[in-house]
Amino acid sequence: MGGCHSYPSEADDTTLQPSDIKTLGINNNNLDERPYLQPQYVCQRITTTDMHTLTTLPPGVDKSEWLASNTVAFFKHINLFSSALSEFCTPSTCPTACGPGNTVYTWTDEQGRKLKCSAPLYFDYAMSYIQDLLTDEEVFPTKAGSAFPNGFIFLVQKVFLLLFRTLAHIYWSHYRETLVLGLQPHLNTLFTHLSVFSLQHGLLDPEDTQPMQDLISALGLGQGQQTSGS
């Protein structure tokens, strides 16, 4: 399924244990500093793979097929990662679904109503929505020769927006737990891969990524690298 299935493991052998992290389940929404921007954490990845090469549409591959396979793979990876932190994301620790700068995410239901809900409920809605979409044969066909629906790109864009928000919430509200568990290299790698893929294929608007722009800049992910063929 695309270039997102696995990464060569090149993580640092040392496990960081920041002395100032003493409790879990208390998010960092009130911190003025953003620890994920500290140089010793920004540089940590589990691979040195060139993400731009990894995300570029291969010659001869149908673009919709490429988007579909990568969408499925990104969902699996990000859903698995967020599940590892789910016990720390509760209605009491995260009464609203928020990202950096206390950006608040609201869920829009089938009637078009915007619902302000806790982070675990918001992301449960998000993952359930994506799961239903990915298993809908009329949207993500698996049979040879089946056509993708009109407007497929817009559905993919919505999925990537929800996945991006999931990672943004983790960085903003659960980076302490990420550090304690030694998962920051994995988080950086996922975020870099998702951001580069989205940029390559025009899946996220600047206003969508703005809350994480400081990290995007720190990671060296420029805005001028979208491919004309995407």
Side-chain angles (χ1 to χ4, degrees), residues 143-213:
K143 298 179 181 178
S146 298
F148 288 90
N150 293 330
F152 176 70
I153 184 64
F154 299 111
L155 294 173
V156 172
Q157 287 173 332
K158 183 169 183 179
V159 170
F160 272 76
L161 175 61
L162 294 173
L163 294 177
F164 186 88
R165 288 179 174 181
T166 301
L167 295 185
H169 176 72
I170 291 173
Y171 272 109
W172 181 244
S173 298
H174 301 291
Y175 198 69
R176 286 174 171 169
E177 291 89 345
T178 301
L179 286 173
V180 169
L181 297 173
L183 294 176
Q184 69 275 10
H186 298 76
L187 180 58
N188 280 350
T189 303
L190 266 179
F191 182 79
T192 299
H193 194 178
L194 182 78
S195 297
V196 173
F197 189 89
S198 299
L199 182 62
Q200 282 262 12
H201 302 287
L203 301 178
L204 293 173
D205 293 329
E207 57 264 32
D208 298 329
T209 61
Q210 192 280 328
M212 296 296 293
Q213 189 56 50

Side-chain angles (χ1 to χ4, degrees), residues 8 11-12 24 32 44 58 61 63 71 95 102 114 121 127 143 149 160 162-163 169 178 187 201 210 214 228:
D12 193 335
L24 298 180
D32 292 330
Q44 294 185 12
V61 175
K63 181 182 177 181
T71 300
N102 284 321
K114 290 189 176 182
L121 183 57
M127 294 303 165
K143 298 179 181 178
F160 272 76
L162 294 173
L163 294 177
H169 176 72
T178 301
L187 180 58
H201 302 287
Q210 192 280 328
D214 50 6
S228 59

Side-chain angles (χ1 to χ4, degrees), residues 1 4 6 19 22 51 88 98 110 120 127 133 142 210 220:
M1 285 291 182
C4 186
S6 61
S19 59
K22 299 180 181 179
M51 292 296 178
F88 309 118
C98 59
E110 295 179 353
M127 294 303 165
L133 203 63
T142 58
Q210 192 280 328

